């Protein structure tokens, strides 16, 4: 006189199997969520690095522009100095030439 039906055990086995599948699926879902969080952290870290690289690039571009301006100023100053030196050398040669010419004229005067 058992009040329970005889076919009660198979549904319990199916329920147990379904519970195990559900637990396995939940574990897989939890693992997937953790991987996604990790990927998001990696993405955030990568975005931060890219932003830092962009800032470095901007800073380096500014420094390069400043260096180019400074280089052009130095080249211009170098040309001006070279022109002045050439003019000074020319003047010195002219003075020396006149002195040599005057010295030669003076020697001719003495010979006479």
């Amino acid at each position: 006189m058992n009040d329970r039906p005889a076919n009660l055990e198979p549904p319990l086995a199916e329920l147990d199997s379904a519970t195990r599948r559900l637990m396995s699926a939940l574990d897989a879902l939890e693992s997937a969520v953790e991987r996604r969080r990790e990927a998001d952290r990696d993405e955030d870290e990568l975005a931060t690095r890219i932003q830092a690289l962009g800032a470095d690039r901007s800073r380096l571009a500014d420094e390069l522009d400043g260096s180019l301006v400074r280089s052009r100023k130095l080249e211009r100053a170098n040309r001006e100095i070279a022109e002045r030196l050439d003019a000074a050398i020319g003047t010195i040669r002219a003075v020396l030439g006149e002195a040599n010419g005057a010295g030669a004229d003076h020697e001719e005067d003495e010979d006479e």
Side-chain angles (χ1 to χ4, degrees):
M1 298 230 165
N2 194 352
D3 291 342
R4 291 185 187 169
N7 61 0
L8 187 60
E9 293 217 13
L12 283 178
E14 288 177 19
L15 185 61
D16 189 40
S17 175
T19 302
R20 281 193 296 271
R21 287 193 313 270
L22 177 61
M23 294 303 287
S24 177
L26 288 173
D27 287 342
L29 179 61
E30 189 175 315
S31 294
V33 167
E34 185 57 36
R35 284 192 307 271
R36 180 58 194 200
R37 284 183 184 157
E38 196 171 302
D40 287 347
R41 278 191 297 267
D42 291 345
E43 225 174 87
D44 290 344
E45 191 175 307
L46 183 59
T48 301
R49 287 181 183 177
I50 289 172
Q51 186 176 9
L53 288 173
D56 285 347
R57 183 196 167 282
S58 294
R59 180 184 52 80
L60 290 172
D62 288 344
E63 286 179 16
L64 179 60
D65 289 344
S67 294
L68 289 173
V69 168
R70 195 167 44 252
S71 174
R72 288 182 185 130
K73 286 180 181 178
L74 289 172
E75 287 174 1
R76 194 169 33 252
N78 189 31
R79 277 193 303 273
E80 290 174 7
I81 290 169
E83 289 171 2
R84 289 179 184 177
L85 282 173
D86 287 343
I89 290 169
T91 301
I92 291 169
R93 285 184 178 157
V95 168
L96 290 175
E98 289 175 10
N100 285 339
D105 289 343
H106 184 54
E107 287 176 11
E108 286 178 11
D109 289 341
E110 288 179 6
D111 288 338
E112 290 179 9

